[in-house]
């Protein structure tokens, strides 16, 4: 008969089993909350299908920009927006680094190549505003390229809207603490580790640089023709629901459900001009931007 393991080994194995059981219970609870939250989105996702049918019937074009810091929840929001959409009439565009040939072209050219045709909606997971944020912070563009972008983008968007494209610009905003927690989860969860890039690892140390660029971007590019909407995304579920509401309110589509609350929560969705005012007040009070 084999000898029994020493008491110390049994205690260690027992502690390990308890640890794994607790982790499993946390994972199950998280999954249950996620399933409930996703189920609660369905009435508004039904409305997105109506919006799609309206765009197709009226031959309208729609673009939605998803901008914001890393780990702000852009990807999760896009997945909830598109989950039940007709795949024939929407595209998600997430462009990588430009090739040398593309770098020699007009800056907007590779984005214009992805624009929607009549009846289609295109969702940009980061857009031409890369130049105003990531490229500027990390030195991937020159000062002149950055200045030229800020000078030209408002006219570009005004012309886009004037010619009939419905343009929605969303900036997802999280606190530094929330971003740090999400990065830690990506670092420790094998299923999420692929999301963590080299730039992500520098995002916390460059927080203030990104905040400065955010302020300048909003100040220079929040226009009447193409305003920014800030989505407070510390609470992912509320951010996703209110993102859908914003998109639905951008189009006067047919068969809108009169019994459904389509008004975005003003605590979650903030006009760009109000965010600018808040940041200016923070600067006057603290001598720097904080969000």
């Amino acid at each position: 008969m084999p000898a029994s393991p020493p008491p110390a080994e049994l205690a260690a194995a027992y502690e390990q089993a308890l640890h794994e059981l607790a982790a499993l219970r946390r994972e199950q609870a998280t999954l249950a909350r996620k399933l409930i939250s996703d189920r609660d989105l369905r009435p508004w996702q039904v409305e997105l299908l109506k919006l799609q049918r309206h765009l197709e019937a009226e031959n309208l074009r729609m673009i939605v920009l998803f901008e914001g810091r890393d780990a702000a929840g852009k990807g999760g929001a896009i997945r909830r927006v598109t989950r039940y959409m007709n795949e024939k009439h929407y595209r998600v565009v997430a462009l990588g680094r430009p090739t040398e040939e593309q770098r020699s072209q007009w800056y907007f050219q590779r984005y214009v190549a992805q624009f929607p045709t009549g009846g289609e909606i295109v969702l940009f997971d980061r857009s031409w505003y890369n130049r105003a944020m990531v490229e500027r912070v990390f030195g991937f563009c020159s000062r002149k390229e950055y200045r030229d972008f800020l000078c030209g983008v408002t006219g570009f968007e005004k012309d886009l809207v004037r010619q009939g494209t419905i343009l929605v610009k969303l900036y997802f905003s999280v606190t530094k603490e929330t971003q740090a927690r999400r990065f830690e989860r990506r670092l420790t969860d094998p299923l999420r580790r692929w999301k963590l890039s080299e730039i992500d690892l520098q995002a916390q140390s460059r927080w203030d640089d990104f905040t400065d660029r955010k302020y300048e971007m909003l100040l220079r590019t929040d226009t009447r023709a193409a305003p920014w909407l800030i989505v407070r995304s510390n609470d992912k579920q509320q951010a996703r629901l209110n993102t859908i509401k914003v998109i639905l309110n951008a189009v006067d589509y047919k068969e809108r459900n009169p019994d459904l609350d389509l008004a975005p929560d003003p605590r979650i969705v903030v006009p760009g001009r109000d965010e600018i005012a808040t940041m200016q007040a923070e600067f006057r009070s603290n001598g720097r931007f904080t969000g």
Side-chain angles (χ1 to χ4, degrees):
M1 182 175 181
S4 299
E9 290 186 14
L10 286 174
Y14 178 69
E15 288 296 326
Q16 178 65 23
L18 287 179
H19 177 75
E20 292 177 357
L21 180 61
L24 180 60
R25 285 173 174 168
R26 287 195 300 270
E27 186 175 331
Q28 287 177 329
T30 299
L31 180 60
R33 288 195 300 271
K34 181 178 177 181
L35 289 173
I36 292 170
S37 297
D38 285 356
R39 183 192 63 198
D40 290 345
L41 291 177
R42 289 188 180 182
W44 289 272
Q45 290 168 326
V46 170
E47 294 299 297
L48 286 170
L49 292 172
K50 297 177 185 178
L51 182 148
Q52 268 197 298
R53 289 197 295 270
H54 179 83
L55 294 178
E56 184 183 4
E58 301 297 326
N59 202 37
L60 297 174
R61 304 179 302 275
M62 187 174 187
I63 294 174
V64 185
L65 308 186
F66 289 75
E67 292 291 340
R69 299 179 191 266
D70 293 309
K74 301 180 294 296
I78 290 172
R79 286 191 292 274
R80 271 61 179 193
V81 169
T82 60
R83 174 156 292 172
Y84 299 106
M85 276 187 170
N86 183 340
E87 295 181 358
K88 295 180 180 179
H89 298 290
Y90 85 83
R91 283 181 290 121
V92 176
V93 175
L95 299 182
R97 290 184 179 182
T99 64
E100 285 303 312
E101 180 182 3
Q102 289 170 334
R103 286 184 62 83
S104 70
Q105 297 171 343
W106 176 50
Y107 174 70
F108 294 101
Q109 190 165 335
R110 72 187 190 121
Y111 295 100
V112 172
Q114 301 293 333
F115 276 10
T117 57
E120 188 179 33
I121 177 172
V122 170
L123 303 97
F124 279 94
D125 186 354
R126 295 197 184 279
S127 68
W128 46 90
Y129 281 101
N130 260 342
R131 176 137 296 177
M133 298 289 291
V134 173
E135 289 190 18
R136 181 69 186 96
V137 169
F138 288 100
F140 297 155
C141 67
S142 68
R143 290 182 179 272
K144 181 180 185 304
E145 288 173 328
Y146 173 70
R147 290 195 300 268
D148 287 347
F149 170 80
L150 290 178
C151 288
V153 67
T154 54
F156 170 74
E157 290 175 350
K158 183 177 181 180
D159 198 45
L160 187 64
V161 173
R162 182 183 61 80
Q163 294 185 51
T165 298
I166 301 159
L167 177 63
V168 178
K169 300 187 331 190
L170 303 175
Y171 183 93
F172 284 69
S173 178
V174 292
T175 62
K176 189 175 183 180
E177 294 73 22
T178 298
Q179 186 189 59
R181 285 197 302 271
R182 292 178 183 175
F183 282 162
E184 179 64 22
R185 188 177 183 190
R186 290 180 180 184
L187 189 62
T188 57
D189 186 343
L191 296 177
R192 290 180 171 83
R193 195 170 297 157
W194 64 271
K195 295 183 177 182
L196 201 62
S197 69
E198 180 61 33
I199 287 180
D200 289 342
L201 296 174
Q202 300 182 50
Q204 287 272 292
S205 63
R206 297 290 190 101
W207 181 271
D208 290 342
D209 293 336
F210 273 103
T211 303
D212 291 344
R213 298 285 72 77
K214 169 191 170 183
Y215 173 71
E216 186 166 12
M217 180 186 75
L218 294 179
L219 186 67
R220 298 283 298 275
T221 66
D222 181 70
T223 64
R224 181 175 297 182
W228 280 103
L229 288 171
I230 312 302
V231 179
R232 305 277 188 234
S233 54
N234 282 346
D235 184 327
K236 289 183 179 181
Q237 308 308 326
Q238 284 299 311
R240 292 163 182 171
L241 172 60
N242 281 276
T243 294
I244 294 174
K245 289 183 177 183
V246 167
I247 293 172
L248 293 173
N249 279 287
V251 180
D252 186 20
Y253 62 92
K254 298 176 181 177
E255 301 178 19
R256 187 182 293 254
N257 184 348
D259 299 322
L260 196 62
D261 178 14
L262 296 177
D265 185 337
R267 296 169 299 179
I268 304 297
V269 178
V270 180
R273 63 180 179 276
D274 292 350
E275 184 79 344
I276 293 168
T278 298
M279 295 183 76
Q280 289 172 338
E282 288 174 346
F283 190 86
R284 288 192 297 269
S285 175
N286 305 317
R288 65 185 184 89
F289 302 121
T290 58

